[in-house]
Amino acid sequence: LSWVFIRLFMATVILGLSQYRSIKADLRLFKKSIWIIAAALFGAVINQLCFNEGLLRTSPAHAAILNATIPIQTLVFASVLARERLHTVRVIGILLGFCGVVYLIGLDHLTRLNPFAIGDMLILANAASYSIYLILAKRYLSGLKPLVVLFWMSLLATITVGFYANWPFLIVTGK
C-alpha cells in the first residue's frame, strides 16, 4: 500500500504544480465538492485499495478476468443509480458477459472454498467501485476542468490512503 500512497502523492504534487492557476480560479468546484469527494472515494481510494489487496490474494489471471466485469457492472449500476434504460439487447449482453466470466474463472471456483475467494471478492469490489465512479463522473463532474478535478481527487485520496497506509515515509519512528 505504500506504493499506492506514493503514486497518489506524486500525482497530487505534479497536478498541483501544473494546474496551480486553474485551481485558484475555479470556484465552481466548491458547488460540486460532495461529488468530487465521492468520486475520490470510489475512483481512487476504494478502487485502489481493493485492487491492491485483492491482487495480493488472487492470481493476476483472475484479476484480469474479473476486471472485465467493469462494463457489465457499470451498466447495471447505471440502470439503478442513473435510471439508464435496460433494453433486451443490454440484458442479454449482461448475462453473456457474466456467463463468460463464470466460465473462465470456473464454476467449481464459485461453489467451494478456495484460496483465491477473498482476493476475487476484493477485485469485484474494485470493479464495482470504479463502475460507480464512472457514473458519478459522467453525471456530476462533466463541464469541469478534468485536471483540476483530478488534482482534488488525488489530494483527497492521498490523505485517505495515507491514513490507511500509516504515512509510511512521513512518520519517523526513531528505530
Side-chain angles (χ1 to χ4, degrees):
L1 296 179
S2 298
W3 74 274
V4 173
F5 175 76
I6 293 168
R7 258 179 64 196
L8 288 168
F9 179 77
M10 293 308 296
T12 303
V13 169
I14 292 168
L15 286 166
L17 292 174
S18 69
Q19 297 298 310
Y20 178 71
R21 288 187 180 145
S22 297
I23 291 166
K24 282 179 38 179
D26 201 351
L27 297 176
R28 293 177 298 156
L29 291 174
F30 291 108
K31 294 178 184 174
K32 295 192 176 191
S33 61
I34 190 71
W35 300 116
I36 293 172
I37 292 168
L41 286 174
F42 286 108
V45 177
I46 297 170
N47 173 20
Q48 286 297 301
L49 293 178
C50 286
F51 180 75
N52 287 291
E53 290 291 331
L55 201 53
L56 290 173
R57 294 171 175 81
T58 192
S59 71
H62 279 210
I65 293 167
L66 292 171
N67 269 326
T69 66
I70 291 173
I72 299 167
Q73 290 187 43
T74 302
L75 186 57
V76 170
F77 286 131
S79 68
V80 174
L81 300 174
R83 296 186 180 98
E84 182 83 20
R85 293 190 53 139
L86 281 181
H87 302 288
T88 306
V89 175
R90 290 181 179 175
V91 172
I92 291 170
I94 289 170
L95 292 173
L96 286 174
F98 179 73
C99 289
V101 168
V102 169
Y103 175 76
L104 290 172
I105 293 291
L107 190 56
D108 61 331
H109 172 74
L110 299 174
T111 58
R112 62 185 164 102
L113 190 60
N114 71 42
F116 294 142
I118 293 173
D120 289 350
M121 291 300 130
L122 286 167
I123 296 295
L124 283 172
N126 148 255
S129 174
Y130 191 71
S131 297
I132 293 169
Y133 159 74
L134 290 174
I135 295 165
L136 290 174
K138 180 181 178 188
R139 187 165 187 174
Y140 298 109
L141 302 179
S142 60
L144 299 175
K145 293 181 179 180
L147 292 177
V148 174
V149 171
L150 191 57
F151 165 76
W152 287 111
M153 285 178 54
S154 296
L155 179 63
L156 293 167
T158 299
I159 294 167
T160 307
V161 171
F163 282 113
Y164 185 78
N166 293 321
W167 300 89
F169 65 88
L170 296 178
I171 297 176
V172 178
T173 59
K175 294 181 184 175

